């Protein structure tokens, strides 16, 4: 179990799940919890049992299906309703019966919210806090309190906000997390309020939203002012602009401030964990995310590339390996010889000056036609192999393909693709159907090849991006397609360019399959 002197508290499954478009099943929540435990967070808030059936089920299943090594589960809920006893409130009972060792109670600390939203008296709000905290404590659960709208409340009525804090602490709450619920605070003013709260006898935590782009900065400022409990969400998920990104907070505190929050080997797995969670949430990862983004340590080559080659530390704030990331060089149209050489070495190829020169020429030529290799690492590697080894071995040759898009009588639009390929001395004709032409082509080509190359069954098309590029010198617009594919061990991206969107897609698809075969150990 983690050290109790400083808490890393994750609220992805409750507050993070408020993000628009984010929908987590109970199985998803269990999977995210396992990933967070792998990172070594101290607490995982699982949701609001009693108020939300899915969350009730999460806590029920967690008892048998989660084998947490580091983290403790926290159940989230409100203080009792006005005018009833905590012991008689069914929602409080659900928290008691959740099986979670920790309960985090949300309570109002802003006088106007008490009167206008809760529609009760300031005194009754304090009684609700006192009664609910001591009731749960008596039942053996640890209690934290989320003081909602604390900062705005402090501005409106500082004495009352602090009274809420003290009432909870005296009733037995271990931590009072000060919440910047509207996310409007800036670090300096927030730190002053945290400082005032820390002067009381209560243990103070911090919960920030990113509406001013300061959630992480505010969290760090609160820690500096004396908070010893930080809340945040994986990948900064959350409603509006999101919550404080827990990964950034942890990396900053551990690598820049010397806190010992998670095991170093777990921190070195953070990039993988951050991406694994995006697989579960099905939210496209932010490539520019601090520490864990695929671009976080990537340099647009050219100017700096020769210097980076001499000493990478001149151009990065930490060793990316500490968070499990790496310095992925982007091959761009500015790419000079040094960056191509470096990228080649990163991929495990020693390039001769002669082949470097050829490769730089080919990259520049293709980029002038609309190709991009910044995001299409797999296409770059295939190009590099062609340059180094000469024309690659073909595991399949395409004779032809054809796609039909049909709008049926019922108004449904369906696509059907037929591909004719030659592979291992066989001529194979296969047909695939899909909701779009590329989907149908993908199915058809894999159907054709899967019998001969069974590893292709694991290949999956995970992302498809289309961009229309302006034509030049009187030519029409051209289409660039980027396809991201995955197998069980990772992802790769390929690019195709043509005036025709389906031909561009086909090029990217063909390379995706070729690269998939290369990854599975086939020589290409
Ligand atoms: Zn919140």
């Amino acid at each position: 179990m983690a050290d109790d002197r400083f808490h890393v508290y994750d609220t992805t499954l409750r507050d993070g799940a408020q993000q628009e478009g984010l929908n987590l099943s109970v199985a998803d929540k269990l999977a995210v919890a396992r990933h967070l435990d792998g990172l070594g967070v101290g607490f995982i808030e699982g949701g609001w049992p009693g108020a939300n059936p899915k969350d009730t089920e999460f806590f029920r299943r967690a008892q048998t299906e989660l084998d947490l090594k580091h983290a403790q589960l926290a159940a989230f809920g409100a203080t009792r309703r006005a005018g009833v006893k905590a012991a008689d409130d069914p929602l409080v009972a659900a928290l008691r019966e959740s099986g979670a060792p920790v309960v985090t109670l949300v309570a109002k600390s802003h006088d106007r919210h008490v009167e206008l939203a809760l529609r009760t008296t300031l005194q009754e709000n304090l009684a609700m806090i006192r009664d609910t905290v001591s009731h749960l404590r008596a039942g053996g659960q640890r209690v934290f309190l989320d003081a909602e709208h604390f900062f705005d409340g402090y501005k409106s009525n500082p004495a009352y906000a602090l009274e809420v804090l003290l009432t909870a602490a005296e009733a037995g709450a271990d931590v009072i997390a000060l919440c910047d619920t509207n996310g409007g605070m800036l670090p300096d003013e927030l730190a002053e309020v945290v400082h005032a709260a820390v002067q009381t006898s209560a243990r103070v935590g911090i919960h920030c939203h990113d509406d001013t782009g300061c959630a992480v900065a505010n969290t760090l400022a609160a820690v500096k002012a004396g908070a010893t409990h930080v809340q945040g969400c994986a990948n900064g998920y959350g409603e509006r602009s999101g919550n404080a990104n827990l990964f950034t907070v942890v990396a900053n505190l551990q690598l820049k401030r010397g806190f010992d929050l998670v095991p170093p080997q777990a921190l070195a797995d953070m990039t993988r964990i951050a991406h694994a969670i995006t697989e579960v949430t099905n939210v496209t990862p932010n490539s520019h995310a601090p520490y864990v983004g695929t671009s976080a340590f990537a340099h647009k080559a050219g100017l700096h590339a020769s210097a980076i080659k001499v000493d990478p530390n001149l151009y990065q704030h930490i060793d990316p390996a500490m968070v499990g990331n790496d310095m992925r060089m982007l091959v761009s149209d500015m790419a000079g010889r040094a960056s191509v050489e470096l990228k080649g070495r990163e991929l495990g190829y020693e390039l001769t000056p002669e082949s470097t020169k050829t490769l730089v020429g080919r990259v520049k030529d293709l980029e002038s036609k609309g190709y991009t290799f910044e995001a299409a690492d797999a296409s770059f590697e295939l190009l590099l192999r062609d340059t180094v080894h000469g024309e690659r071995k073909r595991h399949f040759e395409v004779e032809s393909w054809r796609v039909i898009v049909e709008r049926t009588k019922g108004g449904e639009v369906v696509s059907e693709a037929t591909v004719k390929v030659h592979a291992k001395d066989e001529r194979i004709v296969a047909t695939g159907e899909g909701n779009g032409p590329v989907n149908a082509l993908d199915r058809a080509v894999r159907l054709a090849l899967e019998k001969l190359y069974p590893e292709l069954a694991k290949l999956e098309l995970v992302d498809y991006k289309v961009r229309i590029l302006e034509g030049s010198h009187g030519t029409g617009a051209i289409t660039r397609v980027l396809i991201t594919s995955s197998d069980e061990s990772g992802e790769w991206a390929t690019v195709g360019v043509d005036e025709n969107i389906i031909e561009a897609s086909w090029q990217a698809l063909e390379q995706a399959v070729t690269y998939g075969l290369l990854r599975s150990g086939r020589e290409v």
Side-chain angles (χ1 to χ4, degrees), residues 14-15 207 209 243:
R14 200 269 308 170
D15 222 6
H207 174 109
H209 284 258
N243 283 57

Side-chain angles (χ1 to χ4, degrees), residues 48-53 55-56 59 76 90-91 94-95:
W48 191 333
N52 181 343
D55 291 355
T56 308
F59 283 99
F76 178 89
L91 281 176
L95 296 171

Side-chain angles (χ1 to χ4, degrees), residues 11 14-16 18 45 76 146 148 179-182 207-209 231 233 238-240 242-243:
T11 177
R14 200 269 308 170
D15 222 6
Q18 305 298 314
E45 191 174 83
F76 178 89
D146 271 1
E148 204 182 46
C179 302
D180 182 18
T181 310
N182 292 344
H207 174 109
C208 294
H209 284 258
Q231 299 196 358
C233 292
E239 62 183 330
R240 308 189 310 272
N243 283 57

Side-chain angles (χ1 to χ4, degrees), residues 333-355:
D333 55 357
M334 296 199 309
R337 298 174 60 85
S339 57
V340 165
E341 227 174 275
L342 193 62
K343 182 85 195 171
R345 199 174 309 148
E346 213 182 275
L347 294 169
Y349 300 86
E350 273 306 326
L351 291 168
T352 61
E354 194 53 40
S355 50

Side-chain angles (χ1 to χ4, degrees), residues 16-23 238-240 283:
Q18 305 298 314
Q19 175 161 317
E20 261 180 275
L22 205 149
N23 267 308
E239 62 183 330
R240 308 189 310 272
V283 173

